[in-house]
Amino acid sequence: MRRLWKKMGKRMTVLFLAAVLLTENLCFTYLNGAMARAAGGNQEREDTYAWLDDLKTETVEPVEPIREIHEDNQPSVMGPGLDSAGNSFAQTALEFVEKASKKVAETLPEMKGFANIGGKILSVIGGVFNALTIVSDMMEMENLNNQNEFWRAMEGLALLADAILAILSILAAIGLIGGGWLLALLAFIVGIIAAILHSVEFADKWGGGRIKPPDGVNALKPNIYIYYADSGTPVQVRFTYPRLLTTSIPDYSGGWDVTSLGDGQIVEKDGNVYDYLFYESMTSKGLFQRNEGYQIPAEKREESFHKILGNMGFNEQEISDFTDFWSRRLSAGVDYRMYPQSTERVDLAMPMTVTPKPEHIERIWFVFEKEDGQHLQEPDPFVMERDMQKTVIEWGGMVFGE
């Protein structure tokens, strides 16, 4: 009787262990899905830019042109938080289940055949997840979320360790090295750490407060000039995705509420007078064209800026502000290419509403890249529509390849 009880107890212990591992698998699968939804919304949508939906305010609807970029086959953008750690969760859970199944088969010989077949299937699936983990982790090394120097290093280290463990798991699966349950458990723990450090939520709260989408860049110094002829006109400016902001003057704090002074100047609710509204934001390279642009020789940089912006219809103050900033911001002695981005593309990158609605709104950003000697086609001549009754003008820029 004692021997039978001991044998049954051993079997019940193994079965209990298998149940616990399966429960862990389900729990962490749910956790990973919850993190993905929190970071990027419902990723099952066909909209390539669905990651932006979670950033929108409750009162502003997403702009329809976001779908048009997807239909134009622009480079896709994967949502924040959807990183390779999910693969680590999945492949590690599969390894746990596989080992538990084999242990059960050893204890219950009648299940040996089923466990062998199931184990082989799980090994193949686990190997695929391991391979995906390696590729995904290496790609994500170029898109670290944390801006704080320490946490950025920790994020990169966690992703690198996750990829190395995935490589070791593949080697263990084909019998070149040992590893057993310890390797699987370590990969599981490192996968969780990598997921946390690489998540948008962590980067936002602890990683420096400035997050960026994959393949992201910062839009630098967009200036918004408000020209409403009637002095005393209250003007509201709202961004659809204010979470993309990295800085603003005056402080955005839920929106800008200013009053036009009738001469191009505006006064904010704190009583301070401004020539323009200033902000910087995160954006994605895939939204912008680099087929047509202007060559900007280093020795004629300011002269080129004056000519290009003057032909587009910017006024002297706007050109002066632009030239002062970008002449210093670009590397000295380096030739650049300058690609203009239309209002439609800027609206995709940083949707904005102005109330009361202006008669004309022109938002022109520029992408700067170092000259590479290739032939460059200049854009067709373009002149902005503007008057002094109700016009909003904006310029900004990005530097690619830094």
Side-chain angles (χ1 to χ4, degrees):
M1 183 70 181
R2 183 177 179 181
R3 184 179 298 177
L4 178 62
W5 175 257
K6 184 177 181 181
K7 186 176 181 180
M8 289 300 296
K10 183 177 180 181
R11 292 184 179 184
M12 291 301 295
T13 300
V14 173
L15 289 173
F16 175 74
L17 176 61
V20 169
L21 293 173
L22 287 170
T23 302
E24 280 189 345
N25 181 22
L26 292 175
C27 289
F28 281 105
T29 298
Y30 173 79
L31 172 64
N32 188 38
M35 289 177 65
R37 289 192 296 273
N42 183 359
Q43 297 297 323
E44 294 180 357
R45 291 179 51 187
E46 293 182 359
D47 189 350
T48 304
Y49 291 88
W51 64 275
L52 286 173
D53 290 348
D54 191 51
L55 304 178
K56 71 178 189 304
T57 61
E58 295 181 359
T59 58
V60 184
E61 295 295 351
V63 292
E64 184 61 25
I66 288 178
R67 184 175 298 277
E68 295 177 3
I69 282 289
H70 175 62
E71 294 170 353
D72 288 341
N73 295 318
Q74 292 289 331
S76 61
V77 176
M78 185 171 62
L82 293 182
D83 51 59
S84 59
N87 296 332
S88 295
F89 290 158
Q91 62 91 5
T92 305
L94 286 169
E95 290 175 4
F96 274 129
V97 174
E98 177 187 355
K99 294 178 185 301
S101 299
K102 290 180 178 179
K103 192 65 178 177
V104 171
E106 292 173 2
T107 308
L108 304 175
E110 60 272 17
M111 296 183 61
K112 186 173 182 179
F114 173 78
N116 285 338
I117 296 174
K120 291 179 180 179
I121 295 175
L122 290 174
S123 293
V124 173
I125 297 175
V128 172
F129 276 118
N130 276 325
L132 290 175
T133 295
I134 297 167
V135 174
S136 184
D137 279 345
M138 291 299 97
M139 293 178 63
E140 291 303 313
M141 291 294 287
E142 297 295 324
N143 297 299
L144 301 180
N145 284 327
N146 295 286
Q147 296 299 309
N148 177 277
E149 184 176 349
F150 173 78
W151 287 117
R152 187 177 181 85
M154 292 300 99
E155 178 188 357
L157 184 63
L159 289 174
L160 180 61
D162 197 30
I164 292 175
L165 286 169
I167 294 174
L168 294 178
S169 296
I170 292 177
L171 295 178
I174 60 180
L176 294 181
I177 63 171
W181 64 270
L182 183 60
L183 178 60
L185 179 61
L186 186 60
F188 188 67
I189 295 173
V190 172
I192 295 174
I193 295 174
I196 293 173
L197 295 182
H198 192 59
S199 68
V200 171
E201 290 80 5
F202 184 89
D204 191 20
K205 293 181 180 179
W206 302 99
R210 293 189 179 187
I211 57 176
K212 67 182 181 64
D215 91 330
V217 293
N218 281 330
L220 302 176
K221 206 184 188 310
N223 287 356
I224 301 174
Y225 301 84
I226 298 175
Y227 303 104
Y228 279 35
D230 295 334
S231 180
T233 301
V235 181
Q236 290 184 338
V237 180
R238 298 289 186 271
F239 293 116
T240 306
Y241 308 117
R243 191 177 178 185
L244 294 176
L245 291 171
T246 57
T247 188
S248 60
I249 300 175
D251 185 22
Y252 183 80
S253 296
W256 280 314
D257 294 281
V258 299
T259 301
S260 170
L261 298 182
D263 58 357
Q265 291 186 317
I266 50 178
V267 58
E268 215 256 345
K269 54 189 175 184
D270 60 8
N272 293 324
V273 177
Y274 298 91
D275 292 327
Y276 50 79
L277 301 173
F278 163 84
Y279 72 96
E280 291 186 346
S281 70
M282 300 173 294
T283 188
S284 180
K285 294 180 181 179
L287 296 174
F288 305 106
Q289 69 86 19
R290 283 178 287 170
N291 298 320
E292 298 179 344
Y294 305 97
Q295 292 178 320
I296 310 295
E299 69 277 7
K300 296 183 178 180
R301 187 174 292 172
E302 293 189 12
E303 177 184 336
S304 299
F305 287 159
H306 277 271
K307 179 180 178 181
I308 293 169
L309 270 64
N311 290 340
M312 287 185 174
F314 286 91
N315 65 28
E316 286 300 320
Q317 183 61 52
E318 295 157 3
I319 295 173
S320 177
D321 293 341
F322 183 95
T323 302
D324 287 345
F325 176 77
W326 285 105
S327 293
R328 298 191 307 271
R329 176 61 180 79
L330 299 178
S331 299
V334 177
D335 296 340
Y336 280 88
R337 292 181 169 214
M338 176 178 174
Y339 303 95
Q341 312 298 322
S342 65
T343 299
E344 291 75 14
R345 290 185 181 273
V346 178
D347 283 341
L348 292 175
M350 196 64 179
M352 179 181 73
T353 57
V354 181
T355 307
K357 185 177 180 180
E359 296 293 333
H360 306 290
I361 181 167
E362 299 285 357
R363 310 179 68 196
I364 311 298
W365 288 3
F366 298 90
V367 169
F368 291 95
E369 280 188 320
K370 292 181 180 179
E371 177 61 61
D372 60 4
Q374 301 288 331
H375 172 73
L376 180 63
Q377 179 179 346
E378 286 202 2
D380 293 332
F382 164 78
V383 180
M384 299 185 299
E385 294 186 43
R386 60 184 301 164
D387 56 44
M388 292 301 292
Q389 297 302 311
K390 281 186 180 180
T391 295
V392 171
I393 302 294
E394 176 182 341
W395 61 255
M398 297 149 286
V399 182
F400 287 6
E402 288 189 332

